């Protein structure tokens, strides 16, 4: 914790290596200080849980999923987020071994992102959506649930939007 004489009203917090720094105004009471430290720690934790996987973490995740469900046989050469893919959740180019995930998946539950990764990994082994493909996907226990979630997202996009609540 750092007290700052120049700091009058604002409280902020950030991680510095494995320490957390909370900046608070110098004249704050100890009770206020304790309250703010816990508020800021909660806030940091919430931000961190929402943080999106970076491309290198995405590649690492794909590697682990391949190991877990396909005995490591699917070996993508690159796995990355793309923002120009609005009609498909994921795509791959088997000849190059590249996998792309739509940025629209960011913020969705982990098991949904994993499903799309597993789906694209499976395409590196079996092109198309024939029986052999879906047989491969049976290895991933949340396939049905993830597909249901994604179908729900698509359906919700097509619903007429409810009028916004009025403030009176
Ligand atoms: Zn597919």
């Amino acid at each position: 914790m750092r007290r700052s004489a120049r700091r009058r009203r604002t409280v902020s917090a950030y991680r510095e290596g494995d320490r957390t720094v909370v900046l608070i105004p110098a004249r704050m009471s100890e009770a206020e200080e304790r309250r703010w430290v816990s508020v800021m720690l909660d806030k940091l934790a919430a931000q961190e849980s929402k943080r999106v996987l970076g491309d290198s973490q995405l590649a690492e995740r794909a590697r682990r999923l391949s190991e877990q469900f396909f005995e490591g046989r699917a070996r993508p050469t690159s796995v990355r987020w793309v923002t120009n893919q609005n009609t498909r959740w994921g795509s791959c180019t088997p000849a190059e071994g590249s996998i792309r995930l739509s940025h629209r998946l960011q913020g969705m539950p982990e098991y949904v992102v994993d499903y799309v990764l597993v789906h694209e990994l499976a395409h590196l082994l079996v092109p198309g959506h024939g029986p052999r493909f879906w047989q491969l996907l049976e290895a991933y226990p949340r396939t049905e649930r993830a597909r249901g979630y994604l179908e729900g997202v698509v359906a919700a996009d097509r619903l007429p939007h409810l009028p916004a609540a009025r403030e009176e």
Side-chain angles (χ1 to χ4, degrees):
M1 205 219 334
R2 282 174 202 161
R3 284 179 176 270
S4 161
R6 278 176 310 154
R7 206 167 260 275
R8 306 227 169 243
R9 283 202 306 264
T10 58
V11 177
S12 66
Y14 57 91
R15 305 275 193 220
E16 201 176 66
D18 53 4
R19 295 188 317 158
T20 302
V21 179
V22 180
L23 297 169
I24 60 166
R27 59 187 173 77
M28 210 177 246
S29 75
E30 276 190 33
E32 278 179 311
E33 176 190 308
R34 272 196 303 276
R35 192 172 69 80
W36 274 107
V37 166
S38 94
V39 166
M40 296 314 282
L41 290 182
D42 286 350
K43 209 168 149 187
L44 268 186
Q47 282 167 0
E48 285 164 358
S49 73
K50 270 189 260 168
R51 190 172 295 161
V52 169
L53 295 177
D55 282 348
S56 66
Q57 290 165 304
L58 205 56
E60 170 58 21
R61 187 157 201 104
R63 196 190 58 75
R64 268 191 292 159
L65 291 168
S66 172
E67 221 145 78
Q68 198 174 350
F69 300 111
F70 306 132
E71 292 146 344
R73 284 179 299 129
R75 291 193 197 91
T77 52
S78 79
V79 187
R80 60 195 176 86
W81 295 110
V82 291
T83 54
N84 60 354
Q85 195 166 273
N86 289 315
T87 57
R88 289 190 295 176
W89 299 115
S91 66
C92 74
T93 310
E96 294 168 7
S98 58
I99 290 176
R100 295 163 297 278
L101 295 195
S102 168
H103 74 295
R104 294 177 65 213
L105 291 164
Q106 293 172 356
M108 290 192 193
E110 219 165 60
Y111 75 90
V112 175
V113 178
D114 280 358
Y115 160 72
V116 178
L117 274 175
V118 168
H119 184 116
E120 300 310 327
L121 286 167
H123 276 315
L124 297 183
L125 305 172
V126 178
H129 296 109
R132 274 190 62 220
F133 176 80
W134 290 114
Q135 213 179 332
L136 267 183
L137 277 220
E138 275 170 24
Y140 182 66
R142 291 166 118 177
T143 290
E144 278 312 305
R145 191 171 163 196
R147 293 185 75 199
Y149 182 99
L150 293 171
E151 278 167 18
V153 171
V154 172
D157 274 351
R158 289 183 188 144
L159 288 175
H161 291 285
L162 300 168
R166 266 186 304 165
E167 283 178 62
E168 284 171 311

